[in-house]
PDB file of all heavy atoms in Angstrom:
ATOM      1  N   TRP D 191      91.891 -89.963  -4.767  1.00 80.00           N
ATOM      2  CA  TRP D 191      92.781 -89.401  -3.757  1.00 80.00           C
ATOM      3  C   TRP D 191      91.981 -88.438  -2.907  1.00 80.00           C
ATOM      4  O   TRP D 191      90.902 -88.008  -3.276  1.00 80.00           O
ATOM      5  CB  TRP D 191      94.028 -88.772  -4.351  1.00 80.00           C
ATOM      6  CG  TRP D 191      93.828 -87.535  -5.175  1.00 80.00           C
ATOM      7  CD1 TRP D 191      93.917 -86.250  -4.739  1.00 80.00           C
ATOM      8  CD2 TRP D 191      93.489 -87.456  -6.557  1.00 80.00           C
ATOM      9  NE1 TRP D 191      93.670 -85.377  -5.772  1.00 80.00           N
ATOM     10  CE2 TRP D 191      93.394 -86.090  -6.907  1.00 80.00           C
ATOM     11  CE3 TRP D 191      93.244 -88.396  -7.546  1.00 80.00           C
ATOM     12  CZ2 TRP D 191      93.088 -85.650  -8.179  1.00 80.00           C
ATOM     13  CZ3 TRP D 191      92.937 -87.958  -8.815  1.00 80.00           C
ATOM     14  CH2 TRP D 191      92.866 -86.607  -9.115  1.00 80.00           C
ATOM     15  N   VAL D 192      92.526 -88.114  -1.740  1.00 80.00           N
ATOM     16  CA  VAL D 192      91.831 -87.258  -0.787  1.00 80.00           C
ATOM     17  C   VAL D 192      92.567 -85.928  -0.696  1.00 80.00           C
ATOM     18  O   VAL D 192      93.773 -85.894  -0.450  1.00 80.00           O
ATOM     19  CB  VAL D 192      91.778 -87.918   0.615  1.00 80.00           C
ATOM     20  CG1 VAL D 192      91.112 -86.997   1.625  1.00 80.00           C
ATOM     21  CG2 VAL D 192      91.049 -89.252   0.536  1.00 80.00           C
ATOM     22  N   VAL D 193      91.832 -84.839  -0.938  1.00 81.00           N
ATOM     23  CA  VAL D 193      92.348 -83.488  -0.782  1.00 81.00           C
ATOM     24  C   VAL D 193      91.239 -82.648  -0.171  1.00 81.00           C
ATOM     25  O   VAL D 193      90.086 -83.067  -0.133  1.00 81.00           O
ATOM     26  CB  VAL D 193      92.804 -82.861  -2.121  1.00 81.00           C
ATOM     27  CG1 VAL D 193      93.972 -83.609  -2.710  1.00 81.00           C
ATOM     28  CG2 VAL D 193      91.662 -82.776  -3.113  1.00 81.00           C
ATOM     29  N   ASP D 194      91.564 -81.446   0.298  1.00 79.00           N
ATOM     30  CA  ASP D 194      90.511 -80.606   0.855  1.00 79.00           C
ATOM     31  C   ASP D 194      89.596 -80.129  -0.273  1.00 79.00           C
ATOM     32  O   ASP D 194      89.950 -80.163  -1.448  1.00 79.00           O
ATOM     33  CB  ASP D 194      91.088 -79.436   1.658  1.00 79.00           C
ATOM     34  CG  ASP D 194      91.857 -78.463   0.808  1.00 79.00           C
ATOM     35  OD1 ASP D 194      91.215 -77.646   0.133  1.00 79.00           O
ATOM     36  OD2 ASP D 194      93.094 -78.524   0.826  1.00 79.00           O
ATOM     37  N   ASN D 195      88.406 -79.685   0.090  1.00 76.00           N
ATOM     38  CA  ASN D 195      87.373 -79.356  -0.884  1.00 76.00           C
ATOM     39  C   ASN D 195      87.778 -78.220  -1.820  1.00 76.00           C
ATOM     40  O   ASN D 195      87.505 -78.264  -3.014  1.00 76.00           O
ATOM     41  CB  ASN D 195      86.067 -79.016  -0.157  1.00 76.00           C
ATOM     42  CG  ASN D 195      84.884 -79.077  -1.082  1.00 76.00           C
ATOM     43  OD1 ASN D 195      84.694 -80.067  -1.773  1.00 76.00           O
ATOM     44  ND2 ASN D 195      84.090 -78.028  -1.107  1.00 76.00           N
ATOM     45  N   LEU D 196      88.432 -77.197  -1.297  1.00 79.00           N
ATOM     46  CA  LEU D 196      88.830 -76.066  -2.134  1.00 79.00           C
ATOM     47  C   LEU D 196      89.838 -76.500  -3.193  1.00 79.00           C
ATOM     48  O   LEU D 196      89.738 -76.119  -4.361  1.00 79.00           O
ATOM     49  CB  LEU D 196      89.400 -74.945  -1.268  1.00 79.00           C
ATOM     50  CG  LEU D 196      89.616 -73.607  -1.951  1.00 79.00           C
ATOM     51  CD1 LEU D 196      88.338 -73.091  -2.587  1.00 79.00           C
ATOM     52  CD2 LEU D 196      90.150 -72.597  -0.967  1.00 79.00           C
ATOM     53  N   THR D 197      90.792 -77.320  -2.802  1.00 83.00           N
ATOM     54  CA  THR D 197      91.769 -77.844  -3.755  1.00 83.00           C
ATOM     55  C   THR D 197      91.078 -78.700  -4.802  1.00 83.00           C
ATOM     56  O   THR D 197      91.364 -78.594  -5.996  1.00 83.00           O
ATOM     57  CB  THR D 197      92.851 -78.670  -3.027  1.00 83.00           C
ATOM     58  OG1 THR D 197      93.500 -77.838  -2.071  1.00 83.00           O
ATOM     59  CG2 THR D 197      93.867 -79.233  -3.992  1.00 83.00           C
ATOM     60  N   ALA D 198      90.146 -79.527  -4.370  1.00 83.00           N
ATOM     61  CA  ALA D 198      89.409 -80.381  -5.305  1.00 83.00           C
ATOM     62  C   ALA D 198      88.645 -79.554  -6.327  1.00 83.00           C
ATOM     63  O   ALA D 198      88.647 -79.876  -7.521  1.00 83.00           O
ATOM     64  CB  ALA D 198      88.454 -81.293  -4.537  1.00 83.00           C
ATOM     65  N   LYS D 199      87.996 -78.479  -5.881  1.00 84.00           N
ATOM     66  CA  LYS D 199      87.264 -77.614  -6.818  1.00 84.00           C
ATOM     67  C   LYS D 199      88.193 -77.039  -7.877  1.00 84.00           C
ATOM     68  O   LYS D 199      87.844 -76.983  -9.053  1.00 84.00           O
ATOM     69  CB  LYS D 199      86.570 -76.483  -6.058  1.00 84.00           C
ATOM     70  CG  LYS D 199      85.329 -76.898  -5.335  1.00 84.00           C
ATOM     71  CD  LYS D 199      84.689 -75.689  -4.680  1.00 84.00           C
ATOM     72  CE  LYS D 199      83.406 -76.064  -3.981  1.00 84.00           C
ATOM     73  NZ  LYS D 199      82.743 -74.885  -3.412  1.00 84.00           N
ATOM     74  N   GLU D 200      89.360 -76.590  -7.457  1.00 85.00           N
ATOM     75  CA  GLU D 200      90.321 -76.035  -8.409  1.00 85.00           C
ATOM     76  C   GLU D 200      90.796 -77.100  -9.395  1.00 85.00           C
ATOM     77  O   GLU D 200      90.931 -76.835 -10.588  1.00 85.00           O
ATOM     78  CB  GLU D 200      91.531 -75.443  -7.674  1.00 85.00           C
ATOM     79  CG  GLU D 200      91.235 -74.158  -6.944  1.00 85.00           C
ATOM     80  CD  GLU D 200      90.915 -73.010  -7.890  1.00 85.00           C
ATOM     81  OE1 GLU D 200      91.568 -72.880  -8.943  1.00 85.00           O
ATOM     82  OE2 GLU D 200      89.991 -72.245  -7.572  1.00 85.00           O
ATOM     83  N   MET D 201      91.029 -78.302  -8.907  1.00 85.00           N
ATOM     84  CA  MET D 201      91.514 -79.379  -9.764  1.00 85.00           C
ATOM     85  C   MET D 201      90.464 -79.778 -10.804  1.00 85.00           C
ATOM     86  O   MET D 201      90.799 -80.131 -11.935  1.00 85.00           O
ATOM     87  CB  MET D 201      91.901 -80.592  -8.916  1.00 85.00           C
ATOM     88  CG  MET D 201      93.113 -80.348  -8.034  1.00 85.00           C
ATOM     89  SD  MET D 201      93.394 -81.672  -6.844  1.00 85.00           S
ATOM     90  CE  MET D 201      93.873 -83.001  -7.926  1.00 85.00           C
ATOM     91  N   CYS D 202      89.199 -79.705 -10.414  1.00 86.00           N
ATOM     92  CA  CYS D 202      88.120 -80.144 -11.299  1.00 86.00           C
ATOM     93  C   CYS D 202      87.609 -79.033 -12.212  1.00 86.00           C
ATOM     94  O   CYS D 202      86.860 -79.307 -13.155  1.00 86.00           O
ATOM     95  CB  CYS D 202      86.953 -80.677 -10.467  1.00 86.00           C
ATOM     96  SG  CYS D 202      87.356 -82.185  -9.567  1.00 86.00           S
ATOM     97  N   ALA D 203      87.984 -77.804 -11.947  1.00 88.00           N
ATOM     98  CA  ALA D 203      87.440 -76.661 -12.681  1.00 88.00           C
ATOM     99  C   ALA D 203      87.628 -76.786 -14.196  1.00 88.00           C
ATOM    100  O   ALA D 203      86.736 -76.432 -14.961  1.00 88.00           O
ATOM    101  CB  ALA D 203      88.063 -75.365 -12.174  1.00 88.00           C
ATOM    102  N   ASN D 204      88.755 -77.277 -14.622  1.00 85.00           N
ATOM    103  CA  ASN D 204      89.048 -77.360 -16.055  1.00 85.00           C
ATOM    104  C   ASN D 204      89.378 -78.771 -16.513  1.00 85.00           C
ATOM    105  O   ASN D 204      90.035 -78.946 -17.535  1.00 85.00           O
ATOM    106  CB  ASN D 204      90.215 -76.424 -16.399  1.00 85.00           C
ATOM    107  CG  ASN D 204      89.889 -74.981 -16.102  1.00 85.00           C
ATOM    108  OD1 ASN D 204      88.845 -74.492 -16.514  1.00 85.00           O
ATOM    109  ND2 ASN D 204      90.755 -74.316 -15.370  1.00 85.00           N
ATOM    110  N   ASP D 205      88.926 -79.757 -15.752  1.00 87.00           N
ATOM    111  CA  ASP D 205      89.242 -81.142 -16.097  1.00 87.00           C
ATOM    112  C   ASP D 205      88.009 -82.003 -15.863  1.00 87.00           C
ATOM    113  O   ASP D 205      87.692 -82.353 -14.734  1.00 87.00           O
ATOM    114  CB  ASP D 205      90.415 -81.634 -15.241  1.00 87.00           C
ATOM    115  CG  ASP D 205      90.898 -83.020 -15.647  1.00 87.00           C
ATOM    116  OD1 ASP D 205      90.193 -83.720 -16.405  1.00 87.00           O
ATOM    117  OD2 ASP D 205      91.989 -83.409 -15.197  1.00 87.00           O
ATOM    118  N   VAL D 208      87.871 -85.800 -13.940  1.00 83.00           N
ATOM    119  CA  VAL D 208      87.838 -86.041 -12.499  1.00 83.00           C
ATOM    120  C   VAL D 208      86.591 -85.398 -11.925  1.00 83.00           C
ATOM    121  O   VAL D 208      86.031 -84.465 -12.494  1.00 83.00           O
ATOM    122  CB  VAL D 208      89.101 -85.501 -11.784  1.00 83.00           C
ATOM    123  CG1 VAL D 208      90.335 -86.259 -12.242  1.00 83.00           C
ATOM    124  CG2 VAL D 208      89.279 -84.019 -12.026  1.00 83.00           C
ATOM    125  N   LYS D 209      86.131 -85.906 -10.777  1.00 84.00           N
ATOM    126  CA  LYS D 209      84.949 -85.319 -10.148  1.00 84.00           C
ATOM    127  C   LYS D 209      85.056 -85.407  -8.639  1.00 84.00           C
ATOM    128  O   LYS D 209      85.805 -86.215  -8.096  1.00 84.00           O
ATOM    129  CB  LYS D 209      83.666 -85.988 -10.621  1.00 84.00           C
ATOM    130  CG  LYS D 209      83.468 -87.396 -10.116  1.00 84.00           C
ATOM    131  CD  LYS D 209      82.119 -87.926 -10.552  1.00 84.00           C
ATOM    132  CE  LYS D 209      81.825 -89.235  -9.831  1.00 84.00           C
ATOM    133  NZ  LYS D 209      80.454 -89.636  -9.974  1.00 84.00           N
ATOM    134  N   ILE D 210      84.275 -84.570  -7.973  1.00 84.00           N
ATOM    135  CA  ILE D 210      84.207 -84.551  -6.517  1.00 84.00           C
ATOM    136  C   ILE D 210      83.021 -85.411  -6.095  1.00 84.00           C
ATOM    137  O   ILE D 210      81.915 -85.259  -6.630  1.00 84.00           O
ATOM    138  CB  ILE D 210      84.023 -83.108  -6.000  1.00 84.00           C
ATOM    139  CG1 ILE D 210      85.203 -82.230  -6.434  1.00 84.00           C
ATOM    140  CG2 ILE D 210      83.870 -83.104  -4.476  1.00 84.00           C
ATOM    141  CD1 ILE D 210      85.021 -80.759  -6.137  1.00 84.00           C
ATOM    142  N   TYR D 220      93.301 -79.042   9.549  1.00 75.00           N
ATOM    143  CA  TYR D 220      94.553 -78.567   8.969  1.00 75.00           C
ATOM    144  C   TYR D 220      95.605 -78.516  10.075  1.00 75.00           C
ATOM    145  O   TYR D 220      95.278 -78.469  11.252  1.00 75.00           O
ATOM    146  CB  TYR D 220      94.377 -77.160   8.393  1.00 75.00           C
ATOM    147  CG  TYR D 220      93.555 -77.134   7.130  1.00 75.00           C
ATOM    148  CD1 TYR D 220      92.200 -76.872   7.164  1.00 75.00           C
ATOM    149  CD2 TYR D 220      94.156 -77.372   5.900  1.00 75.00           C
ATOM    150  CE1 TYR D 220      91.444 -76.842   6.002  1.00 75.00           C
ATOM    151  CE2 TYR D 220      93.416 -77.344   4.732  1.00 75.00           C
ATOM    152  CZ  TYR D 220      92.057 -77.075   4.793  1.00 75.00           C
ATOM    153  OH  TYR D 220      91.331 -77.039   3.649  1.00 75.00           O
ATOM    154  N   PHE D 252      86.734 -69.201   4.349  1.00 87.00           N
ATOM    155  CA  PHE D 252      86.160 -70.362   3.673  1.00 87.00           C
ATOM    156  C   PHE D 252      84.962 -69.931   2.837  1.00 87.00           C
ATOM    157  O   PHE D 252      84.818 -70.322   1.678  1.00 87.00           O
ATOM    158  CB  PHE D 252      85.729 -71.423   4.696  1.00 87.00           C
ATOM    159  CG  PHE D 252      86.827 -72.348   5.122  1.00 87.00           C
ATOM    160  CD1 PHE D 252      87.802 -71.932   6.007  1.00 87.00           C
ATOM    161  CD2 PHE D 252      86.884 -73.645   4.651  1.00 87.00           C
ATOM    162  CE1 PHE D 252      88.810 -72.779   6.413  1.00 87.00           C
ATOM    163  CE2 PHE D 252      87.883 -74.504   5.043  1.00 87.00           C
ATOM    164  CZ  PHE D 252      88.856 -74.072   5.927  1.00 87.00           C
ATOM    165  N   TYR D 255      85.839 -67.952  -0.408  1.00 85.00           N
ATOM    166  CA  TYR D 255      86.383 -68.731  -1.502  1.00 85.00           C
ATOM    167  C   TYR D 255      85.530 -69.944  -1.858  1.00 85.00           C
ATOM    168  O   TYR D 255      85.962 -70.832  -2.603  1.00 85.00           O
ATOM    169  CB  TYR D 255      87.833 -69.151  -1.190  1.00 85.00           C
ATOM    170  CG  TYR D 255      88.730 -67.948  -1.174  1.00 85.00           C
ATOM    171  CD1 TYR D 255      89.131 -67.372   0.031  1.00 85.00           C
ATOM    172  CD2 TYR D 255      89.138 -67.355  -2.362  1.00 85.00           C
ATOM    173  CE1 TYR D 255      89.939 -66.242   0.041  1.00 85.00           C
ATOM    174  CE2 TYR D 255      89.947 -66.228  -2.356  1.00 85.00           C
ATOM    175  CZ  TYR D 255      90.337 -65.675  -1.152  1.00 85.00           C
ATOM    176  OH  TYR D 255      91.125 -64.547  -1.136  1.00 85.00           O
ATOM    177  N   GLY D 256      84.308 -70.000  -1.352  1.00 81.00           N
ATOM    178  CA  GLY D 256      83.381 -71.050  -1.728  1.00 81.00           C
ATOM    179  C   GLY D 256      83.728 -72.428  -1.213  1.00 81.00           C
ATOM    180  O   GLY D 256      83.359 -73.431  -1.803  1.00 81.00           O
ATOM    181  N   ALA D 257      84.438 -72.470  -0.104  1.00 78.00           N
ATOM    182  CA  ALA D 257      84.816 -73.750   0.491  1.00 78.00           C
ATOM    183  C   ALA D 257      83.864 -74.095   1.630  1.00 78.00           C
ATOM    184  O   ALA D 257      83.307 -73.207   2.274  1.00 78.00           O
ATOM    185  CB  ALA D 257      86.246 -73.692   1.012  1.00 78.00           C
ATOM    186  N   ILE D 258      83.677 -75.358   1.850  1.00 76.00           N
ATOM    187  CA  ILE D 258      82.822 -75.806   2.949  1.00 76.00           C
ATOM    188  C   ILE D 258      83.614 -75.702   4.246  1.00 76.00           C
ATOM    189  O   ILE D 258      84.737 -76.183   4.354  1.00 76.00           O
ATOM    190  CB  ILE D 258      82.367 -77.258   2.729  1.00 76.00           C
ATOM    191  CG1 ILE D 258      81.502 -77.323   1.462  1.00 76.00           C
ATOM    192  CG2 ILE D 258      81.603 -77.775   3.936  1.00 76.00           C
ATOM    193  CD1 ILE D 258      81.191 -78.723   0.998  1.00 76.00           C
TER     194      ILE D 258
END
Side-chain angles (χ1 to χ4, degrees):
W191 67 94
V192 177
V193 296
D194 65 79
N195 197 51
L196 191 56
T197 301
K199 284 183 178 183
E200 288 293 320
M201 293 170 68
C202 294
N204 298 310
D205 186 346
V208 295
K209 71 176 190 167
I210 300 172
Y220 288 95
F252 275 76
Y255 292 101
I258 296 170

